[in-house]
Amino acid sequence: MKWLARIVMAVVVVALAAVGWVYAASELHLRSFDRPPPFAYPIATDPETIARGDHLVRTRGCRGCHGDDLGGEIMWGMASAPDLAAYARTESAATFDAALRHGIGRDGKALYSMPSYNFVRLRDEDVAAIFAYLRTQPVVERDLPAGSLPWSVRLDIALGDDAAIPAYLDLVPPLRRAEDANPAIVRGEYIAMTTCNECHGFGLRADSPWEGESAPDLMIVLAYDKDAFQHLMRTGKALGDRELNMMSGVARGRFAHFTDQEVEDVYTFLRDMSARASATQ
Ligand code: HEC
Ligand code: HEC
């Protein structure tokens, strides 16, 4: 039976080598991104800054993944979204910013599930306000298991068929209307490009780099007048009073916290974006 033992041995060795390669190649990818220059914007603690941070956390959906009490949650059975109040107390603003806008975790490795592409255009003062607000929130002592990347994800990364968050951030378009003469358009673009582009595509045109997107090109607002748009943002009900699978809950959870001015600004910007896009088609 010596030959059988040898074959079994050989199979085991080959399998272990393959697993080792997948692990090493995926780790190499996760560690291949540099930390950004350290965030140095001052962290203010006045009530207006804290209120601004609170508003940003509500409207940018941090609770959707980090838990209603911000105390952390396991997402998709693999990713561990940490307690943000605890994080903001134990980590520096620079570490926080590296995660939020650049997709690099506190251990220096690239994040895989945290949607930093949605936050990469946040202004420094808003990052500082979110950080300041989180530090005022109670720490929830919940036992969260550590997240771990499934082997299937590691294999895709090792083969170059998938990548971690920082690999995508350069694909998020810059703010194109930042110099617009109409301040409503400037404000509206900023909100849309740090909120709606989580799902509607990096440039809001159903243009995310991955397949299987379900959220439409936001040129769909051409079908909406101001009241219908306001109604969608406030109640989650689309044109014709339709309840939508995902968007309705997202609107009620996050966008109901927009001020009337913010809703109007987003509308003004999206109409302008759509008019420009139709003019060049
Ligand atoms: C779509 C879900 C989702 C949303 C929305 C989200 N996060 Fe996360 N976040 C995660 C997950 C999951 C992780 C764990 C790391 C990973 O698996 O990528 C994480 C990790 C983090 C980390 C720690 C990274 C580290 O390991 O050092 C910070 C800080 C963070 N998120 C802040 C925020 C803030 C602030 C917001 C809102 C502006 C936010 N997140 C919104 C899912 C999300
Ligand atoms: C977390 C994901 C997500 C975010 C964030 C999001 N949407 Fe959506 N949205 C969807 C999805 C998915 C649909 C398609 C309908 C559905 O399945 O809910 C949709 C549909 C829509 C529609 C079409 C409704 C119709 O008539 O069928 C509009 C308009 C819209 N979203 C506007 C916005 C705006 C404006 C923002 C930012 C303020 C935004 N969405 C942010 C996921 C999202």
Side-chain angles (χ1 to χ4, degrees):
M1 289 310 272
K2 239 183 177 172
W3 58 272
L4 184 59
R6 280 200 184 131
I7 290 174
V8 169
M9 197 66 159
V11 169
V12 167
V13 167
V14 168
L16 282 177
V19 167
W21 175 78
V22 167
Y23 187 81
S26 56
E27 279 294 300
L28 200 63
H29 171 75
L30 296 176
R31 294 171 193 275
S32 66
F33 302 93
D34 292 334
R35 278 185 205 265
F39 183 73
Y41 198 88
I43 308 300
T45 53
D46 57 282
E48 289 91 292
T49 302
I50 305 297
R52 172 76 183 153
D54 183 3
H55 185 69
L56 287 160
V57 164
R58 281 180 207 287
T59 53
R60 270 59 179 182
C62 314
R63 285 188 174 80
C65 301
H66 289 269
D68 285 340
D69 57 5
L70 298 168
E73 227 164 62
I74 291 290
M75 304 283 303
W76 310 289
M78 63 171 201
S80 187
D83 179 327
L84 290 181
Y87 191 99
R89 281 187 182 76
T90 53
E91 305 298 336
S92 67
T95 302
F96 176 76
D97 174 58
L100 182 64
R101 285 193 299 189
H102 306 276
I104 311 263
R106 56 182 142 192
D107 56 3
K109 290 205 287 178
L111 303 176
Y112 181 77
S113 305
M114 162 72 189
S116 298
Y117 47 85
N118 190 211
F119 308 126
V120 63
R121 299 286 168 246
L122 279 175
R123 296 188 189 112
D124 288 353
E125 66 256 40
D126 281 344
V127 172
I130 294 174
F131 186 70
Y133 164 74
L134 292 174
R135 294 180 109 172
T136 67
Q137 292 305 293
V139 171
V140 179
E141 280 169 20
R142 183 175 293 142
D143 255 341
L144 273 183
S148 71
L149 279 186
W151 283 101
S152 56
V153 171
R154 285 195 176 270
L155 178 63
D156 284 345
I157 289 178
L159 295 173
D161 292 337
D162 196 0
I165 294 293
Y168 294 103
L169 298 179
D170 287 344
L171 301 176
V172 178
L175 301 178
R176 299 188 175 105
R177 308 252 56 89
E179 309 289 324
D180 201 280
N182 180 352
I185 291 182
V186 177
R187 292 191 302 260
E189 178 183 44
Y190 179 68
I191 298 168
M193 288 294 291
T194 55
T195 311
C196 317
N197 70 340
E198 182 189 341
C199 306
H200 286 276
F202 284 8
L204 309 169
R205 305 289 314 278
D207 55 347
S208 292
W210 32 81
E211 291 164 20
E213 264 182 320
S214 58
D217 183 335
L218 281 182
M219 272 182 78
I220 197 168
V221 295
L222 286 173
Y224 278 73
D225 64 19
K226 218 185 237 180
D227 288 346
F229 186 75
Q230 176 94 11
H231 189 63
L232 172 63
M233 293 290 119
R234 293 284 176 246
T235 67
K237 297 287 184 190
L239 275 185
D241 235 23
R242 279 169 305 137
E243 175 76 12
L244 302 172
N245 272 344
M246 181 185 246
M247 180 64 195
S248 295
V250 173
R252 288 191 290 264
R254 299 187 198 176
F255 308 142
H257 297 286
F258 279 151
T259 62
D260 287 344
Q261 181 72 63
E262 286 177 314
V263 172
E264 200 168 321
D265 291 345
V266 171
Y267 183 72
T268 305
F269 162 70
L270 289 175
R271 293 293 289 212
D272 178 73
M273 176 193 84
S274 305
R276 281 169 197 277
S278 328
T280 58
Q281 257 165 23

PDB file of all heavy atoms in Angstrom, residues 113-134:
ATOM      1  N   SER A 113     -15.442  45.404   1.774  1.00  0.00           N
ATOM      2  CA  SER A 113     -16.896  45.593   1.764  1.00  0.00           C
ATOM      3  C   SER A 113     -17.353  46.996   2.116  1.00  0.00           C
ATOM      4  O   SER A 113     -18.505  47.342   1.897  1.00  0.00           O
ATOM      5  CB  SER A 113     -17.557  44.623   2.749  1.00  0.00           C
ATOM      6  OG  SER A 113     -17.174  43.300   2.456  1.00  0.00           O
ATOM      7  N   MET A 114     -16.517  47.806   2.683  1.00  0.00           N
ATOM      8  CA  MET A 114     -16.883  49.157   3.093  1.00  0.00           C
ATOM      9  C   MET A 114     -16.938  50.062   1.851  1.00  0.00           C
ATOM     10  O   MET A 114     -15.963  50.134   1.101  1.00  0.00           O
ATOM     11  CB  MET A 114     -15.828  49.613   4.113  1.00  0.00           C
ATOM     12  CG  MET A 114     -15.728  51.084   4.361  1.00  0.00           C
ATOM     13  SD  MET A 114     -17.148  51.700   5.303  1.00  0.00           S
ATOM     14  CE  MET A 114     -16.794  53.446   5.130  1.00  0.00           C
ATOM     15  N   PRO A 115     -18.106  50.719   1.600  1.00  0.00           N
ATOM     16  CA  PRO A 115     -18.261  51.438   0.321  1.00  0.00           C
ATOM     17  C   PRO A 115     -17.581  52.814   0.272  1.00  0.00           C
ATOM     18  O   PRO A 115     -18.237  53.839   0.088  1.00  0.00           O
ATOM     19  CB  PRO A 115     -19.788  51.575   0.193  1.00  0.00           C
ATOM     20  CG  PRO A 115     -20.265  51.629   1.606  1.00  0.00           C
ATOM     21  CD  PRO A 115     -19.333  50.742   2.396  1.00  0.00           C
ATOM     22  N   SER A 116     -16.270  52.833   0.358  1.00  0.00           N
ATOM     23  CA  SER A 116     -15.541  54.111   0.365  1.00  0.00           C
ATOM     24  C   SER A 116     -15.695  54.894  -0.942  1.00  0.00           C
ATOM     25  O   SER A 116     -15.503  56.110  -0.948  1.00  0.00           O
ATOM     26  CB  SER A 116     -14.057  53.881   0.648  1.00  0.00           C
ATOM     27  OG  SER A 116     -13.897  53.299   1.926  1.00  0.00           O
ATOM     28  N   TYR A 117     -16.081  54.191  -2.032  1.00  0.00           N
ATOM     29  CA  TYR A 117     -16.309  54.920  -3.297  1.00  0.00           C
ATOM     30  C   TYR A 117     -17.443  55.927  -3.151  1.00  0.00           C
ATOM     31  O   TYR A 117     -17.561  56.857  -3.923  1.00  0.00           O
ATOM     32  CB  TYR A 117     -16.608  53.944  -4.454  1.00  0.00           C
ATOM     33  CG  TYR A 117     -17.623  52.890  -4.109  1.00  0.00           C
ATOM     34  CD1 TYR A 117     -18.988  53.131  -4.227  1.00  0.00           C
ATOM     35  CD2 TYR A 117     -17.207  51.651  -3.636  1.00  0.00           C
ATOM     36  CE1 TYR A 117     -19.911  52.165  -3.879  1.00  0.00           C
ATOM     37  CE2 TYR A 117     -18.125  50.682  -3.282  1.00  0.00           C
ATOM     38  CZ  TYR A 117     -19.472  50.947  -3.408  1.00  0.00           C
ATOM     39  OH  TYR A 117     -20.400  49.994  -3.049  1.00  0.00           O
ATOM     40  N   ASN A 118     -18.288  55.715  -2.161  1.00  0.00           N
ATOM     41  CA  ASN A 118     -19.403  56.629  -1.919  1.00  0.00           C
ATOM     42  C   ASN A 118     -18.960  57.840  -1.093  1.00  0.00           C
ATOM     43  O   ASN A 118     -19.671  58.842  -1.014  1.00  0.00           O
ATOM     44  CB  ASN A 118     -20.502  55.854  -1.190  1.00  0.00           C
ATOM     45  CG  ASN A 118     -21.808  56.617  -1.081  1.00  0.00           C
ATOM     46  OD1 ASN A 118     -22.535  56.431  -0.125  1.00  0.00           O
ATOM     47  ND2 ASN A 118     -22.098  57.478  -2.023  1.00  0.00           N
ATOM     48  N   PHE A 119     -17.803  57.737  -0.466  1.00  0.00           N
ATOM     49  CA  PHE A 119     -17.387  58.785   0.473  1.00  0.00           C
ATOM     50  C   PHE A 119     -16.115  59.497   0.026  1.00  0.00           C
ATOM     51  O   PHE A 119     -15.692  60.456   0.664  1.00  0.00           O
ATOM     52  CB  PHE A 119     -17.170  58.162   1.865  1.00  0.00           C
ATOM     53  CG  PHE A 119     -18.352  57.358   2.340  1.00  0.00           C
ATOM     54  CD1 PHE A 119     -18.218  56.036   2.745  1.00  0.00           C
ATOM     55  CD2 PHE A 119     -19.626  57.924   2.372  1.00  0.00           C
ATOM     56  CE1 PHE A 119     -19.319  55.290   3.172  1.00  0.00           C
ATOM     57  CE2 PHE A 119     -20.726  57.189   2.791  1.00  0.00           C
ATOM     58  CZ  PHE A 119     -20.571  55.876   3.192  1.00  0.00           C
ATOM     59  N   VAL A 120     -15.531  59.023  -1.073  1.00  0.00           N
ATOM     60  CA  VAL A 120     -14.232  59.547  -1.492  1.00  0.00           C
ATOM     61  C   VAL A 120     -14.294  61.044  -1.801  1.00  0.00           C
ATOM     62  O   VAL A 120     -13.319  61.766  -1.634  1.00  0.00           O
ATOM     63  CB  VAL A 120     -13.668  58.701  -2.673  1.00  0.00           C
ATOM     64  CG1 VAL A 120     -14.549  58.780  -3.903  1.00  0.00           C
ATOM     65  CG2 VAL A 120     -12.264  59.106  -3.018  1.00  0.00           C
ATOM     66  N   ARG A 121     -15.470  61.552  -2.202  1.00  0.00           N
ATOM     67  CA  ARG A 121     -15.594  62.984  -2.504  1.00  0.00           C
ATOM     68  C   ARG A 121     -16.031  63.825  -1.295  1.00  0.00           C
ATOM     69  O   ARG A 121     -16.291  65.021  -1.438  1.00  0.00           O
ATOM     70  CB  ARG A 121     -16.569  63.206  -3.667  1.00  0.00           C
ATOM     71  CG  ARG A 121     -16.133  62.548  -4.959  1.00  0.00           C
ATOM     72  CD  ARG A 121     -14.978  63.290  -5.636  1.00  0.00           C
ATOM     73  NE  ARG A 121     -14.418  62.484  -6.708  1.00  0.00           N
ATOM     74  CZ  ARG A 121     -13.182  61.980  -6.709  1.00  0.00           C
ATOM     75  NH1 ARG A 121     -12.347  62.218  -5.720  1.00  0.00           N
ATOM     76  NH2 ARG A 121     -12.763  61.242  -7.717  1.00  0.00           N
ATOM     77  N   LEU A 122     -16.182  63.216  -0.125  1.00  0.00           N
ATOM     78  CA  LEU A 122     -16.552  64.022   1.055  1.00  0.00           C
ATOM     79  C   LEU A 122     -15.458  65.057   1.326  1.00  0.00           C
ATOM     80  O   LEU A 122     -14.270  64.768   1.216  1.00  0.00           O
ATOM     81  CB  LEU A 122     -16.709  63.124   2.293  1.00  0.00           C
ATOM     82  CG  LEU A 122     -18.019  62.366   2.458  1.00  0.00           C
ATOM     83  CD1 LEU A 122     -17.929  61.444   3.683  1.00  0.00           C
ATOM     84  CD2 LEU A 122     -19.221  63.299   2.592  1.00  0.00           C
ATOM     85  N   ARG A 123     -15.895  66.266   1.691  1.00  0.00           N
ATOM     86  CA  ARG A 123     -14.926  67.321   2.009  1.00  0.00           C
ATOM     87  C   ARG A 123     -14.282  67.055   3.369  1.00  0.00           C
ATOM     88  O   ARG A 123     -14.897  66.443   4.256  1.00  0.00           O
ATOM     89  CB  ARG A 123     -15.637  68.673   2.103  1.00  0.00           C
ATOM     90  CG  ARG A 123     -16.232  69.096   0.808  1.00  0.00           C
ATOM     91  CD  ARG A 123     -16.757  70.535   0.911  1.00  0.00           C
ATOM     92  NE  ARG A 123     -17.496  70.809  -0.302  1.00  0.00           N
ATOM     93  CZ  ARG A 123     -18.808  70.993  -0.345  1.00  0.00           C
ATOM     94  NH1 ARG A 123     -19.529  71.000   0.756  1.00  0.00           N
ATOM     95  NH2 ARG A 123     -19.402  71.184  -1.501  1.00  0.00           N
ATOM     96  N   ASP A 124     -13.080  67.606   3.538  1.00  0.00           N
ATOM     97  CA  ASP A 124     -12.350  67.432   4.791  1.00  0.00           C
ATOM     98  C   ASP A 124     -13.193  67.834   6.002  1.00  0.00           C
ATOM     99  O   ASP A 124     -13.220  67.136   7.021  1.00  0.00           O
ATOM    100  CB  ASP A 124     -11.067  68.279   4.798  1.00  0.00           C
ATOM    101  CG  ASP A 124     -10.004  67.725   3.865  1.00  0.00           C
ATOM    102  OD1 ASP A 124     -10.204  66.622   3.314  1.00  0.00           O
ATOM    103  OD2 ASP A 124      -8.980  68.408   3.683  1.00  0.00           O
ATOM    104  N   GLU A 125     -13.883  68.969   5.896  1.00  0.00           N
ATOM    105  CA  GLU A 125     -14.620  69.429   7.088  1.00  0.00           C
ATOM    106  C   GLU A 125     -15.769  68.474   7.426  1.00  0.00           C
ATOM    107  O   GLU A 125     -16.143  68.352   8.589  1.00  0.00           O
ATOM    108  CB  GLU A 125     -15.112  70.880   6.945  1.00  0.00           C
ATOM    109  CG  GLU A 125     -16.162  71.123   5.880  1.00  0.00           C
ATOM    110  CD  GLU A 125     -15.577  71.796   4.633  1.00  0.00           C
ATOM    111  OE1 GLU A 125     -14.444  71.426   4.227  1.00  0.00           O
ATOM    112  OE2 GLU A 125     -16.247  72.673   4.082  1.00  0.00           O
ATOM    113  N   ASP A 126     -16.287  67.793   6.414  1.00  0.00           N
ATOM    114  CA  ASP A 126     -17.361  66.831   6.688  1.00  0.00           C
ATOM    115  C   ASP A 126     -16.819  65.542   7.297  1.00  0.00           C
ATOM    116  O   ASP A 126     -17.449  64.945   8.180  1.00  0.00           O
ATOM    117  CB  ASP A 126     -18.162  66.555   5.411  1.00  0.00           C
ATOM    118  CG  ASP A 126     -19.160  67.693   5.121  1.00  0.00           C
ATOM    119  OD1 ASP A 126     -19.422  68.500   6.041  1.00  0.00           O
ATOM    120  OD2 ASP A 126     -19.663  67.768   3.990  1.00  0.00           O
ATOM    121  N   VAL A 127     -15.647  65.119   6.850  1.00  0.00           N
ATOM    122  CA  VAL A 127     -15.010  63.944   7.469  1.00  0.00           C
ATOM    123  C   VAL A 127     -14.759  64.248   8.951  1.00  0.00           C
ATOM    124  O   VAL A 127     -15.051  63.437   9.839  1.00  0.00           O
ATOM    125  CB  VAL A 127     -13.673  63.601   6.760  1.00  0.00           C
ATOM    126  CG1 VAL A 127     -12.927  62.506   7.513  1.00  0.00           C
ATOM    127  CG2 VAL A 127     -13.932  63.195   5.314  1.00  0.00           C
ATOM    128  N   ALA A 128     -14.254  65.462   9.203  1.00  0.00           N
ATOM    129  CA  ALA A 128     -13.967  65.861  10.588  1.00  0.00           C
ATOM    130  C   ALA A 128     -15.260  65.917  11.407  1.00  0.00           C
ATOM    131  O   ALA A 128     -15.271  65.501  12.577  1.00  0.00           O
ATOM    132  CB  ALA A 128     -13.257  67.212  10.599  1.00  0.00           C
ATOM    133  N   ALA A 129     -16.352  66.395  10.805  1.00  0.00           N
ATOM    134  CA  ALA A 129     -17.628  66.493  11.537  1.00  0.00           C
ATOM    135  C   ALA A 129     -18.178  65.102  11.872  1.00  0.00           C
ATOM    136  O   ALA A 129     -18.689  64.871  12.973  1.00  0.00           O
ATOM    137  CB  ALA A 129     -18.647  67.297  10.723  1.00  0.00           C
ATOM    138  N   ILE A 130     -18.049  64.166  10.930  1.00  0.00           N
ATOM    139  CA  ILE A 130     -18.522  62.798  11.191  1.00  0.00           C
ATOM    140  C   ILE A 130     -17.708  62.197  12.343  1.00  0.00           C
ATOM    141  O   ILE A 130     -18.266  61.606  13.274  1.00  0.00           O
ATOM    142  CB  ILE A 130     -18.393  61.914   9.922  1.00  0.00           C
ATOM    143  CG1 ILE A 130     -19.329  62.415   8.824  1.00  0.00           C
ATOM    144  CG2 ILE A 130     -18.681  60.450  10.247  1.00  0.00           C
ATOM    145  CD1 ILE A 130     -19.159  61.698   7.487  1.00  0.00           C
ATOM    146  N   PHE A 131     -16.408  62.386  12.286  1.00  0.00           N
ATOM    147  CA  PHE A 131     -15.522  61.845  13.329  1.00  0.00           C
ATOM    148  C   PHE A 131     -15.889  62.454  14.693  1.00  0.00           C
ATOM    149  O   PHE A 131     -16.039  61.733  15.686  1.00  0.00           O
ATOM    150  CB  PHE A 131     -14.070  62.158  12.958  1.00  0.00           C
ATOM    151  CG  PHE A 131     -13.051  61.527  13.869  1.00  0.00           C
ATOM    152  CD1 PHE A 131     -12.843  60.156  13.869  1.00  0.00           C
ATOM    153  CD2 PHE A 131     -12.273  62.314  14.708  1.00  0.00           C
ATOM    154  CE1 PHE A 131     -11.885  59.571  14.698  1.00  0.00           C
ATOM    155  CE2 PHE A 131     -11.315  61.735  15.544  1.00  0.00           C
ATOM    156  CZ  PHE A 131     -11.126  60.358  15.535  1.00  0.00           C
ATOM    157  N   ALA A 132     -16.074  63.787  14.711  1.00  0.00           N
ATOM    158  CA  ALA A 132     -16.405  64.472  15.973  1.00  0.00           C
ATOM    159  C   ALA A 132     -17.733  63.955  16.530  1.00  0.00           C
ATOM    160  O   ALA A 132     -17.862  63.700  17.731  1.00  0.00           O
ATOM    161  CB  ALA A 132     -16.475  65.985  15.738  1.00  0.00           C
ATOM    162  N   TYR A 133     -18.711  63.776  15.650  1.00  0.00           N
ATOM    163  CA  TYR A 133     -20.018  63.281  16.095  1.00  0.00           C
ATOM    164  C   TYR A 133     -19.903  61.860  16.664  1.00  0.00           C
ATOM    165  O   TYR A 133     -20.439  61.562  17.742  1.00  0.00           O
ATOM    166  CB  TYR A 133     -21.022  63.311  14.942  1.00  0.00           C
ATOM    167  CG  TYR A 133     -22.254  62.483  15.203  1.00  0.00           C
ATOM    168  CD1 TYR A 133     -23.235  62.934  16.094  1.00  0.00           C
ATOM    169  CD2 TYR A 133     -22.432  61.239  14.597  1.00  0.00           C
ATOM    170  CE1 TYR A 133     -24.362  62.156  16.364  1.00  0.00           C
ATOM    171  CE2 TYR A 133     -23.546  60.466  14.862  1.00  0.00           C
ATOM    172  CZ  TYR A 133     -24.510  60.928  15.744  1.00  0.00           C
ATOM    173  OH  TYR A 133     -25.604  60.159  16.010  1.00  0.00           O
ATOM    174  N   LEU A 134     -19.188  60.996  15.957  1.00  0.00           N
ATOM    175  CA  LEU A 134     -19.071  59.602  16.404  1.00  0.00           C
ATOM    176  C   LEU A 134     -18.450  59.516  17.798  1.00  0.00           C
ATOM    177  O   LEU A 134     -18.823  58.659  18.599  1.00  0.00           O
ATOM    178  CB  LEU A 134     -18.256  58.778  15.396  1.00  0.00           C
ATOM    179  CG  LEU A 134     -18.936  58.559  14.033  1.00  0.00           C
ATOM    180  CD1 LEU A 134     -17.974  57.864  13.061  1.00  0.00           C
ATOM    181  CD2 LEU A 134     -20.225  57.743  14.178  1.00  0.00           C
TER     182      LEU A 134
END
